[in-house]
Amino acid sequence: MTTADLHFKDVTLLVTHYNRSRSLERLLDAFKAQGITFGDIVVSDDGSRPEHLEKLVAMQPDYNYRLVTTPKNRGLGNNINKGQDAVQTPYTLYVQEDFEPKEIFATHFKDALHFFETEPALDIARFYAYFKYPYTKPYNKGFSEMKFSASPLKNNHLKFYVYSDHPHLRRSNFLQKFGRYPEGIKGDLTEYRMALSFIQNKGKGIFFDRFTDLFYQKNSSDEPSTMNRASWRESKNPLALAARAVYLQFKLLKWTYDVLFKKV
């Protein structure tokens, strides 16, 4: 692809950041090294420590981004909301700072953007996940459409993650259609509430089938992930596995109830 093919003038790269300025620099360097440019870049910072904020200000001339800050940490929901509010282009590529695009990203991103331009019903194109979305139908060029069903026969709890905070393309009117991210709660609950709204408001999304091929997620020892999960949920101990199985069935029932009867 030529340089012109790698400039996405109608897309803003929105990056949420908190105390991981080296990770942010690696992300922006990766886009720069691959020649990928955007109509705008917005970095939304969630009240990082002074040394990271100083780094963000110092990097601005090199990467030409707009920095949106807050005087204190307000959580994931607020950070995405204020970042999205600053976007002025029709489309948003949302990426958290600990990701890096792989060399083949631009090709498939270009496909996704074309789908958005030709199909107004599309709301999100997901580029990364820990697990494949369980219920899909083929879409085009390596993407599948995610198909949510509240039916008890579709009993994989991962079906609720039609929306995810992992890297994705979306329309910049996303908050108008699905509501603003809830603020003042934990990050995983923020993500769940938005997924619930996405389902209830009949969002339509596609998922890249080779979901680990487009981005690296890099949590270095000096800038580890700020999201922590309960240890029993990760353990391979038989008792923990049994508890997890019960927990997942309870989650499936509760989340199905929420989708059908709890308006967010």
Side-chain angles (χ1 to χ4, degrees), residues 17-135:
H17 172 270
Y18 180 59
N19 286 337
R20 291 195 283 189
S21 54
R22 291 183 185 176
S23 298
L24 174 66
E25 187 173 23
R26 285 193 293 267
L27 166 65
L28 297 177
D29 263 341
F31 280 121
K32 192 173 184 178
Q34 294 174 32
I36 301 172
T37 57
F38 302 94
D40 197 8
I41 300 175
V42 172
V43 174
S44 186
D45 179 71
D46 193 16
S48 291
R49 295 192 300 268
E51 64 269 26
H52 289 283
L53 194 55
E54 289 170 7
K55 177 73 171 176
L56 263 58
V57 172
M59 290 194 303
Q60 271 187 285
D62 295 328
Y63 300 104
N64 194 31
Y65 56 75
R66 290 188 291 131
L67 178 60
V68 183
T69 61
T70 183
K72 65 177 183 178
N73 179 268
R74 297 182 183 276
L76 178 65
N78 177 268
N79 205 22
I80 304 178
N81 284 336
K82 66 183 174 61
Q84 190 67 67
D85 287 343
V87 173
Q88 299 169 356
T89 58
Y91 307 104
T92 301
L93 172 60
Y94 173 66
V95 184
Q96 292 179 335
E97 81 278 73
D98 58 336
F99 285 90
E100 292 179 35
K102 297 185 180 182
E103 290 290 337
I104 65 168
F105 169 74
T107 297
H108 301 289
F109 179 69
K110 191 173 183 180
D111 290 338
L113 184 58
H114 174 71
F115 300 150
F116 269 62
E117 292 169 339
T118 56
E119 186 178 350
L122 271 182
D123 296 299
I124 194 170
R126 292 180 52 196
F127 301 122
Y128 184 90
Y130 296 141
F131 305 99
K132 179 176 173 59
Y133 189 79
Y135 308 114

Side-chain angles (χ1 to χ4, degrees), residues 15-254:
V15 186
T16 48
H17 172 270
Y18 180 59
N19 286 337
R20 291 195 283 189
S21 54
R22 291 183 185 176
S23 298
L24 174 66
E25 187 173 23
R26 285 193 293 267
L27 166 65
L28 297 177
D29 263 341
F31 280 121
K32 192 173 184 178
Q34 294 174 32
I36 301 172
T37 57
F38 302 94
D40 197 8
I41 300 175
V42 172
V43 174
S44 186
D45 179 71
D46 193 16
S48 291
R49 295 192 300 268
E51 64 269 26
H52 289 283
L53 194 55
E54 289 170 7
K55 177 73 171 176
L56 263 58
V57 172
M59 290 194 303
Q60 271 187 285
D62 295 328
Y63 300 104
N64 194 31
Y65 56 75
R66 290 188 291 131
L67 178 60
V68 183
T69 61
T70 183
K72 65 177 183 178
N73 179 268
R74 297 182 183 276
L76 178 65
N78 177 268
N79 205 22
I80 304 178
N81 284 336
K82 66 183 174 61
Q84 190 67 67
D85 287 343
V87 173
Q88 299 169 356
T89 58
Y91 307 104
T92 301
L93 172 60
Y94 173 66
V95 184
Q96 292 179 335
E97 81 278 73
D98 58 336
F99 285 90
E100 292 179 35
K102 297 185 180 182
E103 290 290 337
I104 65 168
F105 169 74
T107 297
H108 301 289
F109 179 69
K110 191 173 183 180
D111 290 338
L113 184 58
H114 174 71
F115 300 150
F116 269 62
E117 292 169 339
T118 56
E119 186 178 350
L122 271 182
D123 296 299
I124 194 170
R126 292 180 52 196
F127 301 122
Y128 184 90
Y130 296 141
F131 305 99
K132 179 176 173 59
Y133 189 79
Y135 308 114
T136 62
K137 73 172 185 178
Y139 188 78
N140 201 356
K141 293 192 174 183
F143 287 87
S144 293
E145 182 182 349
M146 296 176 285
K147 304 295 289 184
F148 175 82
S149 171
S151 168
L153 298 178
K154 306 290 187 180
N155 62 357
N156 189 322
H157 74 285
L158 296 174
K159 70 182 183 180
F160 293 96
Y161 290 96
V162 185
Y163 167 85
S164 169
D165 289 341
H166 284 148
H168 63 263
L169 174 68
R170 64 192 188 197
R171 299 185 190 278
S172 296
N173 64 355
F174 192 86
L175 300 187
Q176 284 72 50
K177 183 170 183 178
F178 300 107
R180 297 177 71 79
Y181 289 78
E183 301 186 13
I185 58 177
K186 292 182 178 180
D188 55 353
L189 186 54
T190 297
E191 182 179 20
Y192 168 66
R193 293 269 186 92
M194 182 51 74
L196 189 62
S197 177
F198 191 89
I199 293 167
Q200 291 177 339
N201 288 287
K202 303 187 185 307
K204 181 175 182 178
I206 55 177
F207 180 95
F208 191 66
D209 294 327
R210 302 197 317 271
F211 53 89
T212 60
D213 282 7
L214 301 186
F215 277 91
Y216 301 101
Q217 186 176 28
K218 296 187 175 181
N219 293 309
S220 61
S221 58
D222 59 328
E223 293 187 349
S225 172
T226 56
M227 291 285 287
N228 296 307
R229 299 188 183 277
S231 59
W232 68 271
R233 292 170 60 182
E234 306 295 332
S235 174
K236 301 301 182 183
N237 178 282
L239 288 177
L241 290 173
R244 176 174 167 77
V246 173
Y247 169 75
L248 290 179
Q249 286 303 307
F250 170 78
K251 177 187 284 189
L252 183 67
L253 291 172
K254 180 184 183 302

